[in-house]
Amino acid sequence: MEMKMGSFRGHAIPGSFFYFMGLWWSTKHILKYACKKYKRSCHFKSKASFCRTDLLEGIIMISMALFGMTVEQFVPEGPYLTLYDYKEGHWKQLTSWHHGTMYFFFGLAGVTRILCHIYRSLPGSLPKLMLSNAFFVEAFIFYNHTHGRDVLDIYVHQLLSLVILVTAVLTFIDFMRSNMILALLEASFLLLQGSWFWQIGFVLYPLNGGPAWESTDHNNMMFLTICFCWHYAVSLTVIGLNFAFVTWLVKSKLKRFCPTEVGLLKTAEREQESEEEM
Amino acid sequence: MEMKMGSFRGHAIPGSFFYFMGLWWSTKHILKYACKKYKRSCHFKSKASFCRTDLLEGIIMISMALFGMTVEQFVPEGPYLTLYDYKEGHWKQLTSWHHGTMYFFFGLAGVTRILCHIYRSLPGSLPKLMLSNAFFVEAFIFYNHTHGRDVLDIYVHQLLSLVILVTAVLTFIDFMRSNMILALLEASFLLLQGSWFWQIGFVLYPLNGGPAWESTDHNNMMFLTICFCWHYAVSLTVIGLNFAFVTWLVKSKLKRFCPTEVGLLKTAEREQESEEEM
Amino acid sequence: MEMKMGSFRGHAIPGSFFYFMGLWWSTKHILKYACKKYKRSCHFKSKASFCRTDLLEGIIMISMALFGMTVEQFVPEGPYLTLYDYKEGHWKQLTSWHHGTMYFFFGLAGVTRILCHIYRSLPGSLPKLMLSNAFFVEAFIFYNHTHGRDVLDIYVHQLLSLVILVTAVLTFIDFMRSNMILALLEASFLLLQGSWFWQIGFVLYPLNGGPAWESTDHNNMMFLTICFCWHYAVSLTVIGLNFAFVTWLVKSKLKRFCPTEVGLLKTAEREQESEEEM
Amino acid sequence: MEMKMGSFRGHAIPGSFFYFMGLWWSTKHILKYACKKYKRSCHFKSKASFCRTDLLEGIIMISMALFGMTVEQFVPEGPYLTLYDYKEGHWKQLTSWHHGTMYFFFGLAGVTRILCHIYRSLPGSLPKLMLSNAFFVEAFIFYNHTHGRDVLDIYVHQLLSLVILVTAVLTFIDFMRSNMILALLEASFLLLQGSWFWQIGFVLYPLNGGPAWESTDHNNMMFLTICFCWHYAVSLTVIGLNFAFVTWLVKSKLKRFCPTEVGLLKTAEREQESEEEM
């Protein structure tokens, strides 16, 4: 039972982290988009504040990574920083070390973000590349996370690996050629990753103490396939609602401060322009 | 026999939908290309009408999706909106739910198309991305549609999944960098997808009541491989004939309204130009 | 023995075709490059002649395709245009139909080339796309050419499929963004494909009447792996020698006709320029 | 024991070569970046010296390739240039021939580099393409290096093949579109490749004479997965330290020679610019 709680927690913590990151990044990109669209009328000091945001993001990513690594090592059944049990002659809790390695690369991406904020001589797109890198490493780890396990276990982790790989590729494309919609798509895959982590927890380590799902039933896999799609549909809906809400907020705030000019800008051509600029 | 009819219908309906969509999109893109080429002499109000087309397309896509979902749920042997049969302890008609999920994402793409038509603040290339998304989800679903089935069944669905994946990738490239020929290629793959859906129906659920094809005969697979290529050859031919027909139509119509100027435009350089613009 | 001769011929004919195509295309692209580099001093009527070349290429491709299809159908052991043997209840000579389908798509690419030459209203990059298409179809066919055969047979065809897939992807990239070096690389893969077809013939159907190579010996596969690389090295060398020869030819011909100006052009910057233009 | 030493050496030599190449290329690209950033104040004769570097690199690559090929052939247990042992009827030391083929393509890339340095009529981006080519060939060889071996042996070579493939793809992207950060990323993968070669040596042919790792233990594979990630983390750290060191060096050297102007250049906009130029 204790073991189960630990394994559930091991999926719930990264799940929550990634869901939070997805929500935050989608909000940030929508804000940027909305601010840019209306910037010609009312220039908020948005550039400076987005800059400060980078610093904050870096610190949050490092904190999350450190928290995750500590929890993985020092829970009751954890490896306590030992890698090999020489007495009994086997590796110690390698899944915890897997999760820890994953956190480490996100921490590294956070460090890069802060360094690029402080030292202007570093290339500006480096943090994006390191983030893409962290996702590639995560996809690699989860793809190789299930040597010698059950079919169902392997399948849910393969789906996880798939969504992480897609996120990594999208981040890489975003690094090569910045694009607002791609960034939102990337955020939607982050949300999917977050909620799928939770789903894996519920499937493999049910909290009510019941047994895990039948591992050899093909129908379970058929169901998890569409379940995955439904998670994705929810992610897209969340991004859509977030877009509507943030755009409405920016608009209404603009109306209060500089009400006369907003209307003048609503020509399709100018908006097209501002989209391409991003 | 009833079961067979249902399963055949489950492949015939999306097959017809995709074939129709392929035909329509190829026509639209050829029309756009032909109109653009001759636009300097005679400016039809094409931009406005293409805009209205977007709205209509959105409505058609949503109707198709709703129709498909309803049929899948409420045919005699359907799941009637229940997901799990608690009495007998197994999932209910998961293939119907699979098809329904697939329709849902195309419906979502339709909704996005309408929203982008109404709210100009939404980025203009969003509908293309959502369509590419819907194809990726469909490819994913059909790739995981055949857990625990026969070799032949798996093979025909893998081919289906392959053509859908190619369509999704082409739509994504088209989203990143608009290109008329790629759009036509995409339409040809839609036609292939449509006709292949029908072929799957005929292979697995023969209408004459005979047995399905021998599932373990390697020669059947060898034949289906080239059969797939022949379907593709037919699709390309259909696109080619469509191109010839629409171009001839636009030209002859132009000649009637503004006959003198068409000839002047027929220099290769100018045409090269107009192709690159698209 | 008769069977063996037929099968050997089935690999020798496309092998020779592709080798010839690779040689010809590399020569054409090097000629174009060399002519472009020196064009400012001496303008040959190269554009018109390259145009006529397109027409010739189309005719050659169609002839090759027709020849290949005829041979595959009407050799003594061929299917003679029948697809299914209803008496004995099995498919007839599906490998011949496979090869025939492959030829058909190259014929289609040839037809497109001619149509684009005649009708200027067709987009100019269409032939490249159709060629890329033909390679993709060929890769697909050879990947599914070996259902139920031996390990060695599957392996040599997989390698063939790999080189065709690479050629298809390179042609597609070339279609999206024209680049002389990529076109040469593509030609080198065509040479590799051609010589590998011959190699397959020698491995599976030895002409001296001896038995085919031991199908289950891992060392044979280890050897074929490097043998494939050596074929590739030879292809690259052939392209390199061709480059040296054609460049020398163009240069010496230029010296004869307009000897004084060549020297003036030999600044690195100008050459850099002309490379990027292509 | 002798055999083991040979096999260990077979992995240690390329490992050292690639590690050295990774270190050198990262240094070169950082130097170029730093020099470019400060070039407006103090123009060192950097272009000419980078040119001479190309020549030197070519010579080093050819020497390494020749050295590697010679060692592989003429060590005591090597094949001594014979490919097939006709007496005993089996292939001779095919792994040595595999390694030799790999070296050959890097030698070819070196030759191209020198030819492009001498003959200005050759396209300037050719050496990059040939290098990418050499990596693709290497990835192909190592992917097919383990027919009929143990699971663990296959797994470590698959990881090696993965990192080489990524390097090849990055080099190809770099060829299509030059980018300083990508070049550094590529260098980090070269370092990873180098250190992973050493790791393979230690896993499969332990120097202390002990047995190789247990080949069927899933935990060994789980460990090697994260071990691979740690190697990568070390590579990234090495690149980071190298960046800090070289940038500091260039800056301090600049301060000594032309101290007043450096400060004036430290505006973010100009740096952004110089990054994009590369």
Side-chain angles (χ1 to χ4, degrees):
Chain A
M1 191 63 207
E2 182 59 34
M3 184 69 191
K4 245 182 203 174
M5 269 305 295
S7 298
F8 182 82
R9 193 176 41 225
H11 289 92
I13 292 174
S16 310
F17 281 172
F18 287 118
Y19 209 88
F20 172 74
M21 275 163 75
L23 271 183
W24 163 240
W25 270 326
S26 69
T27 311
K28 191 178 87 169
H29 288 299
I30 298 167
L31 252 177
K32 253 188 189 166
Y33 178 68
C35 284
K36 192 148 201 174
K37 216 194 279 167
Y38 301 116
K39 80 171 169 188
R40 276 166 227 203
S41 49
C42 269
H43 201 296
F44 293 105
K45 283 166 294 179
S46 57
K47 220 163 195 178
S49 65
F50 278 123
C51 230
R52 238 172 301 139
T53 308
D54 266 13
L55 189 63
L56 194 69
E57 266 179 21
I59 292 168
I60 290 175
M61 279 168 75
I62 294 172
S63 321
M64 280 178 170
L66 285 178
F67 176 72
M69 280 191 277
T70 316
V71 166
E72 289 290 338
Q73 290 291 332
F74 299 109
V75 286
E77 70 274 22
Y80 288 92
L81 295 179
T82 55
L83 190 54
Y84 196 79
D85 189 336
Y86 286 99
K87 273 188 224 149
E88 308 195 14
H90 62 71
W91 300 100
K92 255 196 111 172
Q93 289 289 340
L94 281 177
T95 52
S96 288
W97 282 100
H98 271 212
H99 288 213
T101 306
M102 177 194 91
Y103 285 123
F104 175 75
F105 277 87
F106 282 99
L108 210 66
V111 169
T112 318
R113 201 162 278 243
I114 291 177
L115 284 179
C116 282
H117 181 80
I118 299 176
Y119 300 104
R120 294 278 148 183
S121 71
L122 287 165
S125 54
L126 189 59
K128 241 179 221 170
L129 184 68
M130 290 304 289
L131 188 66
S132 155
N133 229 347
F135 283 123
F136 274 117
V137 169
E138 197 194 353
F140 170 76
I141 286 179
F142 279 109
Y143 186 78
N144 289 294
H145 196 54
T146 50
H147 284 288
R149 298 221 207 144
D150 281 338
V151 180
L152 187 82
D153 200 340
I154 290 172
Y155 186 62
V156 289
H157 278 94
Q158 270 180 351
L159 292 188
L160 185 65
S161 193
L162 175 73
V163 55
I164 301 171
L165 191 68
V166 171
T167 321
V169 169
L170 284 174
T171 316
F172 190 79
I173 296 177
D174 196 29
F175 156 73
M176 295 291 282
R177 180 176 155 176
S178 218
N179 184 315
M180 195 276 300
I181 314 182
L182 275 188
L184 281 191
L185 188 68
E186 194 194 311
S188 79
F189 276 101
L190 265 178
L191 293 183
L192 172 57
Q193 186 184 339
S195 63
W196 193 249
F197 258 114
W198 277 88
Q199 180 75 42
I200 290 180
F202 282 118
V203 168
L204 299 180
Y205 316 100
L207 275 187
N208 57 6
W213 292 20
E214 178 54 57
S215 150
T216 52
D217 185 0
H218 284 304
N219 279 322
N220 278 339
M221 266 178 266
M222 291 287 275
F223 171 68
L224 283 169
T225 303
I226 38 170
C227 183
F228 188 71
C229 295
W230 296 347
H231 275 262
Y232 185 41
V234 171
S235 301
L236 285 177
T237 315
V238 168
I239 296 278
L241 292 178
N242 203 359
F243 191 97
F245 175 70
V246 172
T247 313
W248 168 81
L249 207 78
V250 169
K251 242 189 202 164
S252 68
K253 226 180 157 183
L254 272 176
K255 267 202 190 118
R256 224 183 308 147
F257 287 112
C258 38
T260 52
E261 288 156 293
V262 176
L264 300 174
L265 282 158
K266 289 200 78 175
T267 52
E269 284 78 17
R270 190 159 293 179
E271 271 145 17
Q272 189 61 30
E273 224 169 61
S274 74
E275 175 192 352
E276 274 158 10
E277 270 166 27
M278 297 204 75
Chain B
M1 190 62 207
E2 181 59 34
M3 184 68 192
K4 245 181 202 174
M5 269 305 294
S7 297
F8 182 82
R9 194 176 42 223
H11 290 91
I13 294 175
S16 311
F17 280 173
F18 287 118
Y19 210 87
F20 172 75
M21 274 163 74
L23 272 182
W24 162 240
W25 271 325
S26 68
T27 311
K28 192 178 84 169
H29 287 298
I30 298 166
L31 252 177
K32 253 190 190 167
Y33 178 69
C35 284
K36 192 148 201 175
K37 216 193 280 166
Y38 301 116
K39 80 172 169 186
R40 275 166 228 204
S41 49
C42 268
H43 202 295
F44 293 104
K45 283 167 292 180
S46 56
K47 219 162 197 181
S49 66
F50 278 124
C51 229
R52 237 171 303 139
T53 309
D54 266 13
L55 189 63
L56 194 69
E57 266 179 22
I59 292 168
I60 290 174
M61 279 168 76
I62 294 173
S63 322
M64 280 177 170
L66 285 178
F67 176 71
M69 280 191 277
T70 314
V71 166
E72 289 289 338
Q73 289 292 331
F74 300 109
V75 286
E77 71 275 20
Y80 289 93
L81 295 179
T82 55
L83 189 56
Y84 197 80
D85 189 336
Y86 285 99
K87 273 189 224 148
E88 308 195 14
H90 61 70
W91 299 100
K92 256 197 110 172
Q93 289 289 339
L94 280 177
T95 52
S96 289
W97 282 101
H98 271 211
H99 288 214
T101 306
M102 176 194 91
Y103 285 124
F104 175 75
F105 276 87
F106 282 99
L108 209 67
V111 169
T112 317
R113 202 162 277 243
I114 292 177
L115 284 179
C116 282
H117 181 80
I118 300 175
Y119 299 104
R120 293 279 148 183
S121 72
L122 286 165
S125 54
L126 190 58
K128 240 178 221 171
L129 184 68
M130 290 304 290
L131 188 65
S132 154
N133 230 347
F135 283 123
F136 275 117
V137 169
E138 197 194 352
F140 169 76
I141 286 179
F142 279 109
Y143 187 79
N144 290 293
H145 197 54
T146 50
H147 284 287
R149 298 220 208 144
D150 281 338
V151 180
L152 187 82
D153 200 339
I154 289 173
Y155 186 63
V156 289
H157 278 94
Q158 270 180 350
L159 292 188
L160 185 65
S161 194
L162 176 72
V163 55
I164 302 171
L165 190 69
V166 171
T167 322
V169 169
L170 284 175
T171 317
F172 189 78
I173 295 177
D174 196 28
F175 156 73
M176 295 292 281
R177 179 174 157 178
S178 219
N179 184 314
M180 195 276 298
I181 314 182
L182 276 189
L184 282 192
L185 188 68
E186 195 194 310
S188 80
F189 277 101
L190 266 178
L191 293 183
L192 171 57
Q193 187 184 340
S195 62
W196 193 250
F197 258 116
W198 277 89
Q199 179 75 42
I200 290 180
F202 283 117
V203 168
L204 299 181
Y205 316 100
L207 274 187
N208 57 6
W213 293 20
E214 179 54 58
S215 150
T216 53
D217 185 0
H218 284 302
N219 280 322
N220 277 339
M221 266 178 266
M222 291 287 274
F223 172 67
L224 283 169
T225 302
I226 39 172
C227 183
F228 187 72
C229 296
W230 296 348
H231 274 262
Y232 185 41
V234 170
S235 302
L236 285 177
T237 315
V238 169
I239 297 278
L241 293 178
N242 203 358
F243 192 97
F245 175 70
V246 172
T247 312
W248 168 81
L249 207 79
V250 169
K251 242 188 201 163
S252 67
K253 227 181 155 183
L254 271 176
K255 267 202 190 115
R256 223 182 310 147
F257 286 110
C258 38
T260 54
E261 288 156 293
V262 176
L264 299 174
L265 282 158
K266 288 200 81 176
T267 51
E269 284 78 17
R270 192 159 292 179
E271 269 145 19
Q272 188 62 31
E273 224 169 62
S274 74
E275 175 192 350
E276 273 159 9
E277 270 166 28
M278 297 202 75
Chain C
M1 190 65 207
E2 182 59 34
M3 184 67 192
K4 245 182 203 173
M5 270 306 293
S7 297
F8 182 83
R9 193 175 43 223
H11 289 91
I13 293 174
S16 311
F17 281 173
F18 287 118
Y19 210 88
F20 171 75
M21 275 164 74
L23 272 182
W24 162 240
W25 271 325
S26 68
T27 311
K28 192 178 85 168
H29 288 299
I30 297 166
L31 252 177
K32 253 189 189 167
Y33 177 70
C35 285
K36 192 147 203 176
K37 215 193 281 167
Y38 302 116
K39 79 173 169 186
R40 276 167 227 202
S41 48
C42 268
H43 202 297
F44 293 104
K45 282 167 294 179
S46 57
K47 220 163 197 180
S49 65
F50 279 123
C51 230
R52 237 172 302 139
T53 308
D54 267 13
L55 189 61
L56 193 71
E57 267 179 22
I59 292 168
I60 290 174
M61 279 167 76
I62 295 173
S63 322
M64 280 178 171
L66 285 177
F67 176 72
M69 280 192 279
T70 315
V71 166
E72 289 290 337
Q73 289 292 331
F74 300 109
V75 286
E77 72 275 22
Y80 288 92
L81 294 179
T82 55
L83 190 55
Y84 195 80
D85 189 337
Y86 286 98
K87 274 188 223 148
E88 308 195 15
H90 62 70
W91 300 100
K92 254 197 112 171
Q93 288 289 340
L94 280 178
T95 52
S96 288
W97 282 100
H98 270 212
H99 288 212
T101 306
M102 177 194 90
Y103 285 123
F104 175 75
F105 276 87
F106 282 99
L108 209 66
V111 169
T112 317
R113 203 162 276 244
I114 291 176
L115 284 180
C116 281
H117 181 80
I118 299 174
Y119 299 104
R120 293 279 149 182
S121 72
L122 286 165
S125 54
L126 191 58
K128 242 179 220 171
L129 185 67
M130 290 305 288
L131 188 66
S132 154
N133 230 347
F135 283 123
F136 275 116
V137 169
E138 196 195 354
F140 170 76
I141 285 179
F142 280 109
Y143 186 79
N144 290 292
H145 196 53
T146 50
H147 283 287
R149 299 223 207 142
D150 281 339
V151 181
L152 187 82
D153 200 339
I154 290 173
Y155 186 63
V156 288
H157 278 94
Q158 269 180 352
L159 292 187
L160 185 65
S161 194
L162 176 73
V163 56
I164 302 170
L165 190 68
V166 171
T167 321
V169 169
L170 284 174
T171 317
F172 189 79
I173 296 178
D174 196 28
F175 156 73
M176 294 291 283
R177 179 176 156 175
S178 218
N179 183 315
M180 194 276 299
I181 314 183
L182 275 187
L184 281 192
L185 189 67
E186 195 194 311
S188 79
F189 277 101
L190 266 177
L191 293 184
L192 171 57
Q193 186 184 339
S195 63
W196 193 249
F197 258 116
W198 277 89
Q199 179 75 40
I200 290 181
F202 283 117
V203 169
L204 299 181
Y205 316 100
L207 275 187
N208 58 5
W213 293 20
E214 179 55 57
S215 150
T216 51
D217 185 0
H218 283 302
N219 279 322
N220 277 339
M221 268 178 263
M222 290 287 276
F223 172 68
L224 284 169
T225 302
I226 38 171
C227 183
F228 188 71
C229 295
W230 295 347
H231 274 261
Y232 185 40
V234 171
S235 303
L236 286 176
T237 313
V238 169
I239 296 278
L241 293 177
N242 204 357
F243 191 97
F245 176 70
V246 173
T247 312
W248 168 81
L249 207 77
V250 169
K251 241 187 203 165
S252 67
K253 227 180 157 184
L254 271 176
K255 268 202 190 116
R256 222 182 310 146
F257 287 111
C258 37
T260 53
E261 288 157 291
V262 176
L264 300 173
L265 281 158
K266 287 199 81 175
T267 51
E269 283 78 17
R270 190 160 293 179
E271 271 145 18
Q272 187 61 30
E273 224 168 63
S274 74
E275 175 192 352
E276 273 158 11
E277 268 165 31
M278 297 202 77
Chain D
M1 191 63 206
E2 182 59 34
M3 184 69 191
K4 244 183 204 173
M5 269 307 293
S7 298
F8 182 83
R9 192 176 43 224
H11 289 92
I13 292 173
S16 309
F17 282 173
F18 287 118
Y19 210 87
F20 171 75
M21 276 163 74
L23 272 182
W24 162 241
W25 270 326
S26 67
T27 310
K28 191 177 86 169
H29 288 298
I30 298 167
L31 252 177
K32 252 189 189 167
Y33 178 70
C35 284
K36 192 148 203 175
K37 217 195 278 166
Y38 301 116
K39 79 172 170 187
R40 276 167 227 202
S41 49
C42 268
H43 202 296
F44 293 105
K45 284 167 292 178
S46 56
K47 221 162 195 180
S49 66
F50 279 123
C51 230
R52 238 171 302 138
T53 308
D54 267 13
L55 188 63
L56 194 70
E57 267 179 22
I59 292 169
I60 289 174
M61 280 168 75
I62 294 173
S63 322
M64 279 179 172
L66 285 178
F67 176 72
M69 279 191 278
T70 315
V71 167
E72 289 290 339
Q73 290 291 332
F74 298 109
V75 286
E77 71 274 22
Y80 288 91
L81 295 178
T82 55
L83 190 55
Y84 196 80
D85 189 338
Y86 285 98
K87 274 189 223 149
E88 307 195 16
H90 62 71
W91 299 101
K92 255 197 112 171
Q93 288 290 341
L94 280 177
T95 51
S96 288
W97 282 101
H98 271 212
H99 288 213
T101 306
M102 177 193 90
Y103 285 123
F104 175 75
F105 277 87
F106 281 99
L108 210 66
V111 169
T112 318
R113 201 162 277 244
I114 291 176
L115 284 179
C116 281
H117 181 80
I118 300 174
Y119 299 105
R120 293 279 148 182
S121 70
L122 286 165
S125 55
L126 190 59
K128 242 179 220 171
L129 185 67
M130 290 304 289
L131 188 66
S132 154
N133 229 347
F135 284 122
F136 275 117
V137 168
E138 196 195 354
F140 169 76
I141 286 178
F142 279 109
Y143 187 78
N144 290 293
H145 196 54
T146 51
H147 283 289
R149 299 223 207 142
D150 281 339
V151 181
L152 187 83
D153 200 339
I154 290 173
Y155 186 63
V156 290
H157 278 95
Q158 270 181 351
L159 292 189
L160 184 65
S161 193
L162 175 72
V163 55
I164 302 170
L165 190 69
V166 171
T167 321
V169 169
L170 283 174
T171 317
F172 189 79
I173 296 178
D174 196 28
F175 156 73
M176 294 291 282
R177 179 177 156 174
S178 217
N179 183 315
M180 193 275 299
I181 314 183
L182 276 188
L184 282 192
L185 189 68
E186 195 193 310
S188 79
F189 277 101
L190 265 178
L191 293 183
L192 171 57
Q193 186 184 339
S195 62
W196 193 249
F197 257 114
W198 278 88
Q199 179 75 42
I200 291 181
F202 283 117
V203 168
L204 299 180
Y205 316 100
L207 275 186
N208 58 6
W213 293 20
E214 178 54 57
S215 150
T216 52
D217 185 359
H218 284 303
N219 279 321
N220 277 339
M221 267 179 264
M222 290 287 276
F223 171 68
L224 284 168
T225 303
I226 39 172
C227 184
F228 188 71
C229 296
W230 295 348
H231 275 262
Y232 185 40
V234 170
S235 303
L236 286 176
T237 314
V238 168
I239 297 278
L241 292 178
N242 203 357
F243 191 97
F245 175 70
V246 172
T247 313
W248 168 81
L249 207 78
V250 169
K251 242 188 202 164
S252 66
K253 226 179 159 185
L254 272 176
K255 268 205 190 113
R256 223 183 309 147
F257 287 111
C258 36
T260 53
E261 288 156 293
V262 176
L264 299 173
L265 282 158
K266 288 200 80 174
T267 51
E269 285 77 17
R270 189 160 292 179
E271 271 145 17
Q272 188 61 31
E273 223 169 60
S274 74
E275 176 191 351
E276 273 157 10
E277 269 167 28
M278 296 204 76

